Amino acid sequence: MKLIFEKSKPGLTCLNIYIYKYKNTDASIPANLKRKKLANLPEIAEIDLIRHYIGLSKKNIGVDNQFYPLGSCTMKYNPKINEEMASLEGFTSLHPLCPENFTQGALQIMYETEKMLSAITGMDSFSLHPAAGAHGEITGIMIIKAYHLKKGNKKTKIIIPDSAHGTNPSSAALCGYNVITIKSNPDGCVDIKALKEVLDENTAGLMMTNPNTLGLFEKNILEISKIVHDAGGLLYYDGANLNAIMGKCKPADMGFDVMHVNLHKTFSTPHGCGGPGSGPVGVKKQLADFLPVPTIIKKDNNYSLCFNNKDSIGKIISFYGNFLIIVRAYVYMKLLGKNGLKEVSEIAVLNANYIKEKLKKYYHLAHDKTCMHEFVLSSKKQNEFGIHAMDIAKCLIDMGFHPPTVYFPLIVDEAIMIEPTETESKETLDKFIDAMIKISELAKENPDKLHNAPITTPVQRLDEVKAARQPILKFCD
Ligand SMILES: *Cc1c(COP(=O)(O)O)cnc(C)c1O
């Protein structure tokens, strides 16, 4: 497909919309107001412009046009009622500096969202400020640091299992901590012996995901939280995906002290391509004073903002976070209610286990156990025919599916991480299962078909390493 610059023809303009013709460039603009050098803009007729962008939009892949089982990303359907509510003029034209008596409704939505997240997770207080999961993590680690410093302890390290999302070690490192990685045990869970070996009075905390990125629930979580607390550390819960646990169990009951939630995963607000997202941070009582400012206070049915928490880590974003994302999540939670959210988790877990059971005959399954909302296959069996996880992912594109996450988590060789979510029908799951089985047959019978995939896309195999290391982000000078 040509770029819009390549379609440019001198003299074409969008101003002539009724008849396709070239513009008379001899316009009566005074000479002194004319550019010395032409702006490097494409010249194009409106109809070609429209076709160009509609054509591009049709090439877009999203959850609105394809099954999108991207593990760890929770690509559930984003109900359009969320969008409708978030586009109400009362929300979209509200200025963040409006006085509180004009913004009671918005403050109430934020306050109630915090309360609903507390009810789901068991945390005592929430801040909706962080603009993403990783932003929530760094906020949470800043809170852990502020807590220890207030108690006069200058702790130096954070322990993180090797199954963690890559943002965990970066968040801890950005806060100045030494990151200590511990290996998982053969069951894919935290190796308690390894944890005890590195745990000491310098440990500020442990960051964990539960269920972890293998989709496995850490059964020993109570023992883990006890030994970390006994050593004076705090527990951070990476709650980017709550899709397996809502209404089932709470991070607070597992012993976690601080956590983040991704509204743009579990709570159905759109994501991908860099946001906007929302990664609220929740804490237990003893950490509440450290939350970012402003916090929202309710008194006599009146909502107000509080800026003078003296122990607060301060501001982490302008104003109050991505408000319209919060509105979307609020609508989602209100519409589903307590039982609906519980059902979300039950169906999400059921769907993941359904695919896992159907595919485990054809693909190596990293851990043959009941999974939570996602699970990890590997292309080990296909490797002997020269087929890798990447080939399988690319072939799925030709078959009309967004590929699962591949090569993550890092602890499984040739990982293929599948998360179907609760919003897909059994028919869709079956079609995906059929495609995966077909691919496992192709791997034996016609591996080149897999090596050459994708053939249905505008570009074929890209050099992804070079694209990441040496990105050239412009078309012309
Ligand atoms: C997505 C994810 C994150 C990071 O969230 P962002 O909003 O992309 O910053 C962190 N941890 C886990 C487990 C995740 O799945």
Side-chain angles (χ1 to χ4, degrees):
M1 186 164 170
K2 278 189 175 173
L3 296 175
I4 195 157
F5 288 97
E6 295 169 298
K7 291 180 180 170
S8 173
K9 288 207 187 83
L12 273 180
T13 162
C14 285
L15 294 177
N16 296 324
I17 48 178
Y18 300 107
I19 303 167
Y20 196 109
K21 63 176 185 184
Y22 292 80
K23 189 182 116 193
N24 179 1
T25 46
D26 255 342
S28 55
I29 301 169
N32 64 331
L33 294 181
K34 281 191 176 162
R35 286 175 176 280
K36 304 279 173 298
K37 201 175 151 220
L38 277 182
N40 196 2
L41 293 174
E43 293 174 78
I44 192 156
E46 179 167 323
I47 184 170
D48 296 330
L49 178 76
I50 292 296
R51 285 185 185 157
H52 179 78
Y53 283 106
I54 295 290
L56 279 180
S57 76
K58 283 186 179 166
K59 292 192 192 304
N60 248 346
I61 303 292
V63 74
D64 285 351
N65 59 2
Q66 270 184 3
F67 181 45
Y68 206 133
L70 193 67
S72 201
C73 293
T74 317
M75 305 303 287
K76 61 174 70 180
Y77 175 67
N78 313 125
K80 296 301 166 259
I81 179 103
N82 299 354
E83 301 303 315
E84 228 176 297
M85 295 300 116
S87 54
L88 290 176
E89 212 201 328
F91 295 134
T92 55
S93 55
L94 192 62
H95 195 282
L97 289 176
C98 258
E100 278 163 15
N101 50 340
F102 290 136
T103 59
Q104 286 296 302
L107 292 175
Q108 180 177 356
I109 283 182
M110 292 195 280
Y111 183 86
E112 288 182 8
T113 302
E114 289 177 8
K115 290 290 169 245
M116 287 191 283
L117 292 175
S118 286
I120 293 167
T121 59
M123 292 291 153
D124 295 306
S125 314
F126 261 90
S127 166
L128 305 175
H129 295 193
H135 196 191
E137 287 173 32
I138 198 169
T139 305
I141 301 296
M142 283 162 75
I143 289 172
I144 289 180
K145 191 163 186 174
Y147 168 84
H148 287 309
L149 285 177
K150 173 131 203 251
K151 291 181 78 181
N153 302 325
K154 202 177 170 321
K155 301 194 183 243
T156 52
K157 63 188 193 186
I158 295 265
I159 301 170
I160 303 177
D162 59 1
S163 58
H165 195 271
T167 47
N168 291 192
S170 359
S171 301
L174 275 171
C175 288
Y177 283 115
N178 295 328
V179 174
I180 311 293
T181 307
I182 47 169
K183 270 195 171 346
S184 302
N185 65 22
D187 283 346
C189 291
V190 167
D191 184 334
I192 295 194
K193 199 166 144 264
L195 173 62
K196 282 182 177 161
E197 272 164 21
V198 295
L199 195 64
D200 59 26
E201 72 284 356
N202 286 321
T203 306
L206 169 72
M207 287 182 95
M208 265 180 74
T209 312
N210 192 23
N212 65 23
T213 59
L214 294 165
L216 305 174
F217 193 86
E218 298 274 358
K219 283 203 210 73
N220 299 320
I221 186 60
L222 293 179
E223 187 185 351
I224 293 169
S225 59
K226 183 172 182 323
I227 58 178
V228 174
H229 283 148
D230 286 350
L234 294 174
L235 276 99
Y236 185 95
Y237 183 86
D238 177 343
N241 315 297
L242 292 183
N243 233 27
I245 66 159
M246 287 186 293
K248 295 288 170 185
C249 60
K250 299 178 182 176
D253 295 341
M254 300 178 206
F256 288 94
D257 305 288
V258 45
M259 66 179 291
H260 80 271
V261 173
N262 279 17
L263 299 186
H264 50 286
K265 287 180 181 167
T266 317
F267 299 100
S268 87
T269 78
H271 58 301
C273 296
S278 180
V281 161
V283 294
K284 290 262 186 70
K285 242 187 221 90
Q286 77 270 25
L287 297 174
D289 288 345
F290 299 96
L291 284 172
V293 283
T295 52
I296 303 168
I297 294 170
K298 181 182 180 188
K299 211 174 148 203
D300 306 329
N301 261 339
N302 190 58
Y303 299 90
S304 58
L305 293 165
C306 171
F307 286 87
N308 51 12
N309 254 338
K310 72 173 177 16
D311 287 332
S312 166
I313 58 165
K315 276 187 87 63
I316 54 147
I317 196 167
S318 55
F319 304 113
Y320 328 105
N322 282 326
F323 176 65
L324 292 175
I325 296 295
I326 295 162
V327 173
R328 287 171 171 89
Y330 175 85
V331 172
Y332 178 80
M333 285 189 263
K334 280 280 187 196
L335 284 177
L336 277 164
K338 196 171 160 193
N339 291 334
L341 290 172
K342 185 171 168 195
E343 205 179 354
V344 162
S345 288
E346 287 169 352
I347 307 288
V349 171
L350 180 66
N351 286 357
N353 278 286
Y354 178 70
I355 301 181
K356 170 177 68 72
E357 287 304 307
K358 293 273 185 184
L359 290 183
K360 72 180 191 189
K361 220 166 76 198
Y362 304 91
Y363 291 87
H364 175 77
L365 180 59
H367 295 276
D368 192 359
K369 293 202 256 189
T370 304
C371 66
M372 295 291 121
H373 58 295
E374 60 195 353
F375 65 98
V376 181
L377 297 176
S378 112
S379 63
K380 242 187 215 169
K381 282 189 188 172
Q382 287 70 34
N383 288 173
E384 60 176 295
F385 311 109
I387 295 299
H388 296 274
M390 187 62 80
D391 303 313
I392 294 166
K394 298 294 183 193
C395 191
L396 277 168
I397 298 175
D398 283 342
M399 293 178 151
F401 298 97
H402 191 286
T405 297
V406 288
Y407 300 107
F408 178 81
L410 304 175
I411 53 176
V412 175
D413 265 350
E414 298 276 337
I416 303 173
M417 186 193 205
I418 298 172
E419 181 183 11
T421 83
E422 71 287 357
T423 57
E424 298 295 336
S425 67
K426 179 168 176 297
E427 286 73 21
T428 300
L429 303 186
D430 284 334
K431 276 191 201 146
F432 175 74
I433 290 163
D434 288 347
M436 286 292 285
I437 293 173
K438 174 99 188 117
I439 289 174
S440 74
E441 286 159 2
L442 280 173
K444 284 182 222 160
E445 292 154 14
N446 188 1
D448 275 347
K449 181 152 182 174
L450 291 176
H451 288 139
N452 296 332
I455 54 170
T456 53
T457 47
V459 287
Q460 274 65 53
R461 293 272 176 130
L462 300 172
D463 185 340
E464 293 175 14
V465 175
K466 190 164 181 201
R469 298 263 155 93
Q470 281 171 260
I472 300 170
L473 301 174
K474 57 183 182 178
F475 168 67
C476 49
D477 294 323

